[in-house]
Amino acid sequence: MSTASPVSRKPLRLGVLISGRGSNMIAIANSIREGRLPGVEIAVVISNTGSACGLAVCQELGLPTAVLVSKGRPRAEHDADVVACLRRHNVDLVVLAGYMRLLSPEFIAAYPNRIVNIHPSLLPSFPGLEAQQQAFDYGVKIAGCTVHFVDEHLDHGPIILQRAIPVQETDDAHSLATRILTEEHIAYTEALARVASGDYEIRGRRYVRRDTPAAP
Ligand code: GRF
């Protein structure tokens, strides 16, 4: 009987981009530390503002950080600096985690289908800012979050996964956002595990697991 030798893969190196609180970044870091994302590591956390609260937590977690201030700079120039920083850290996958900036076409082209984002609504409903408030005001009964690849349109690329929750009669926009955030933290880890497995392809705008047969 022959035994297959274990396949040793290079770790998937994440470049996590934040602008604020960084709770998704922290959830990812915890998942890595607790063994839920084998073969994944955070190469660098980049913030576009020095005041992002998430930066302080990075220090505690021992994560390398870079602050590249975007305010007052042309988008293309700032993005070129971010891409250079990601390259210096040998980043394989760019993870937007509350990064409050649109990416330039050059940035997206530098990492084709290698940039992921989390959005606090069930896309394609409620793209853009204040998604939870939009969903609440619209009166939806099911809300949730979406992890997707990033393309040149806002909150638009192929969807990797979504998690849904019912909107309660007692909810307000704040309580809804809090419950969606809990789902976000689970969703990002699951989505990164899927991407890290490499066991998928993108058909049109559909993310499809490799063992899924193509339609006849
Ligand atoms: C999250 O709701 C995320 O979906 C959205 O921005 C928020 C960032 O939160 N893109 P955090 O900084 O990860 O806590």
Side-chain angles (χ1 to χ4, degrees):
M1 192 178 83
S2 70
T3 48
S5 57
V7 182
S8 77
R9 281 204 195 140
K10 274 196 331 149
L12 182 79
R13 289 173 64 77
L14 308 182
V16 186
L17 271 52
I18 65 169
S19 297
R21 154 182 81 173
S23 72
N24 277 288
M25 177 271 295
I26 296 164
I28 293 164
N30 286 338
S31 290
I32 292 172
R33 217 180 35 186
E34 290 159 14
R36 289 191 297 277
L37 280 172
V40 176
E41 62 190 28
I42 294 181
V44 64
V45 177
I46 301 176
S47 172
N48 68 313
T49 157
S51 60
C53 303
L55 285 170
V57 186
C58 290
Q59 315 281 296
E60 286 163 29
L61 297 174
L63 296 173
T65 56
V67 177
L68 297 170
V69 176
S70 57
K71 199 168 176 194
R73 300 193 65 210
R75 183 180 310 281
E77 221 176 76
H78 175 258
D79 279 6
D81 287 350
V82 175
V83 168
C85 182
L86 293 166
R87 289 198 169 128
R88 271 199 306 281
H89 286 87
N90 296 317
V91 163
D92 303 304
L93 183 72
V94 182
V95 177
L96 306 184
Y99 189 62
M100 300 306 286
R101 289 186 51 84
L102 289 175
L103 305 188
S104 61
E106 292 78 12
F107 190 154
I108 292 165
Y111 287 91
N113 286 331
R114 303 303 283 171
I115 308 175
V116 293
N117 181 43
I118 189 154
H119 183 74
S121 78
L122 295 173
L123 291 170
S125 295
F126 315 120
L129 294 174
E130 309 277 345
Q132 308 94 324
Q133 182 79 52
Q134 291 185 55
F136 181 78
D137 291 345
Y138 196 90
V140 298
K141 301 300 180 207
I142 303 285
C145 63
T146 304
V147 183
H148 64 94
F149 289 107
V150 171
D151 66 11
E152 58 281 9
H153 305 290
L154 178 68
D155 299 327
H156 178 267
I159 291 171
I160 302 165
L161 68 79
Q162 297 184 300
R163 288 181 68 88
I165 52 167
V167 180
Q168 316 279 14
E169 291 292 322
T170 50
D171 267 328
D172 57 21
H174 179 76
S175 65
L176 181 61
T178 303
R179 290 193 301 109
I180 291 173
L181 190 62
T182 303
E183 301 303 316
E184 291 186 41
H185 296 162
I186 301 166
Y188 231 159
T189 293
E190 282 184 15
L192 291 175
R194 289 186 187 185
V195 175
S197 77
D199 210 10
Y200 65 92
E201 56 195 68
I202 297 173
R203 294 186 198 151
R205 54 161 293 119
R206 295 183 61 235
Y207 160 96
V208 186
R209 295 209 196 197
R210 270 244 167 77
D211 52 8
T212 310

